[in-house]
Amino acid sequence: MVDGLGVAGWGVGGIEAEAAMLGQPMSMVLPGVVGFKLSGKLRNGVTATDLVLTVTQMLRKHGVVGKFVEFYGQGMSELSLADRATIANMSPEYGATMGFFPVDGKTLDYLKLTGRSDDTVAMVESYLRANKMFVDHSQVDAERVYSSYLELNLEEVEPCLSGPKRPHDRVTLKNMKSDWLSCLDSDVGFKGFAVPKESQGKVAEFSFHGTPAKIKHGDVVIAAITSCTNTSNPNVMLGAALVAKKACELGLEVKPWIKTSLAPGSGVVKKYLDKSGLQKYLDQLGFHIVGYGCTTCIGNSGELDESVSAAITENDIVAAAVLSGNRNFEGRVHPLTRANYLASPPLVVAYALAGTVNIDFEKEPIGISKDGKEVYFRDVWPSTEEIAEVVKSSVLPDMFKSTYESITKGNPMWNELPVSTSTLYPWDPSSTYIHEPPYFKDMKMSPPGPRPVKDAYCLLNFGDSITTDHISPAGNIHPDSPAAKYLKERGVERKDFNSYGSRRGNDEIMARGTFANIRLVNKFLKGEVGPKTIHVPSGEKLAVFDAAMKYKNEGHDTIILAGAEYGSGSSRDWAAKGPMLQGVKAVIAKSFERIHRSNLAGMGIIPLCYKAGEDADTLGLTGHERYTVHLPTNVSEIKPGQDVTVTTDNGKSFTCTLRFDTEVELAYYDHGGILPYVARKIAEQ
């Protein structure tokens, strides 16, 4: 978000971050800079989220992985700082290293709003003006030279959502119903569920705490105002509260089996919702504050009611979640919501009221008022002016000051935690939450050097857009998974399994949860979806972890075959740590997402890219072959980006590009990963 404030910053992989905390600098290839010109002004009723989803689609299509994006133009002056931060915070979804907004008058206004002193604001302005880094929209824009260019007229942005499975698959609100029906018809894929025509109208009846209930394809079971991207933006948060107010005054209600929640990105949000007097309307519709920070967007939605879960599972219902998050990859939000749509907070409330994504808001009512009249979307949607008026009267500088002042004070529970005075962490071997990591076991002072990958089996054979949500352990621990088996063996009851995120300090659980996504699509399984693979030598179908351990016990290396955009999504370090612990030595893909490629390099896994125009299909690779990666055994003979020959046991040979992008990454590989590298450097001092 800081890039919306004129601070140049970007995310690094968790593995790089760990090394940086130990004093290791990070390296990167100098990025290209994409200029994104904004003109015009958003129309009445169009939100920052609508703009974000539009920009995300444009940039993903343009191709900005590993690049900086700089926004400029007169249209920038029409965007609030919060709107800019919302766009900047979406950079992982459009793949850029950062989406940057230079400093202008709106930035200074935000600094004043959030309690910075007049002297500080004046110093910022004078410094940036003196260094020709301040943008003055009253003057003619100087022509800038960029690596490539894009342009968007803000007046053309329409209300929209993204989904049902990827953040850059934008759908305009007016086309939502037709797009949904198309998804039901289409083959299983990013825009398809392959529901037979005769089953599309199926109605599953169930009892919800003694009340008769029904659920159909497209019915909403989770409606969540969540994610840093939106919940730190007063315009969309107060917009959602105004929708709730109008709905409550008309007597509308949300069906009780829809799981609603509100997780603001900051404590300031509660203060201005209370100040506006609007929080009570959100509460009335079930959007109670459940916490501050990542919830539904990162898979922490919790369980659905058992009756709802049973109705979905037993009737194979394609249930929907609508959330104001920034990520909606398969299996991330909840295992039972196969359709997940990103939307602005006001739209989340509207869809919760409608109870389905199978609706045309222009023509169909979202509910019936207390006096029996049909209520339409337009009846509850606030104008831009209404929102601006509430923002002006409710979002005040003192709210930010008081919240910021209390940040370092903690709370009684945190402050009363007992802390050991030992300089070494006292590992508890019986803990199922924190386990001594294996990365330094049997480590010697001399680096092991390049390891040959010879006659390796293919552990998994993937297509395009395999995300870190497919790879990394996330969300709840499925009761039939290897991780669940591990916990059961240690006396942990199912109700206490908790989530993978809560147990990320235990490598035994996280390794078992790698590739455990129930929506994993592996070509080996030929149409079957789930966290299993084929152990090639025996032909057995096993859980991915079990197959990986079988290969390791047999003394075999493994590789992964993948398509384009491998590792898109959040910058999860376990998406690289898990495969390393499972014994994966190399990944061959059409392209990698920036942070995941960096994380693979940091864990000593070889990232390789097919040559342009080639992939597993064009080369005739089935994954049943055995693969040898021909790398020199001396690291001094390996260069970033060099050509590498890969051969198979059935006579195929093809050339890949080695995606260790810097000499530093080659040093990590020589040491067996970034963590052993840093440990050796510290030991030498």
Side-chain angles (χ1 to χ4, degrees), residues 154-167:
L154 299 179
E155 292 175 12
E156 296 173 359
V157 176
E158 298 183 64
C160 58
L161 300 88
S162 278
K165 302 180 184 184
R166 296 190 299 185

Side-chain angles (χ1 to χ4, degrees), residues 244-262:
K245 178 178 185 288
K246 290 171 183 281
C248 290
E249 289 173 344
L250 289 165
L252 301 187
E253 296 179 344
V254 174
K255 293 182 177 70
W257 54 85
I258 296 177
K259 189 166 193 176
T260 47
S261 61
L262 168 60

Side-chain angles (χ1 to χ4, degrees), residues 124-157:
V124 169
E125 181 177 4
S126 59
Y127 176 88
L128 292 173
R129 283 188 182 277
N131 285 281
K132 302 189 187 311
M133 296 168 65
F134 187 88
V135 175
D136 189 336
H137 296 289
S138 65
Q139 299 177 359
V140 178
D141 244 355
E143 286 298 319
R144 299 178 180 85
V145 178
Y146 294 105
S147 309
S148 59
Y149 297 83
L150 281 170
E151 185 170 354
L152 174 65
N153 184 342
L154 299 179
E155 292 175 12
E156 296 173 359
V157 176

Side-chain angles (χ1 to χ4, degrees), residues 590-626:
K590 287 179 72 174
S591 63
F592 291 94
E593 201 77 350
R594 175 183 63 91
I595 291 180
H596 185 58
R597 185 211 59 79
S598 169
N599 276 338
L600 290 175
M603 292 312 296
I605 295 174
I606 305 169
L608 296 166
C609 276
Y610 296 107
K611 290 296 182 180
E614 294 184 346
D615 58 21
D617 292 336
T618 63
L619 293 167
L621 304 175
T622 66
H624 289 83
E625 308 86 354
R626 299 184 73 174

Side-chain angles (χ1 to χ4, degrees), residues 383-396:
S383 68
T384 302
E385 290 74 23
E386 283 180 89
I387 295 171
E389 188 177 323
V390 179
V391 169
K392 185 177 180 180
S393 62
S394 304
V395 184
L396 306 173

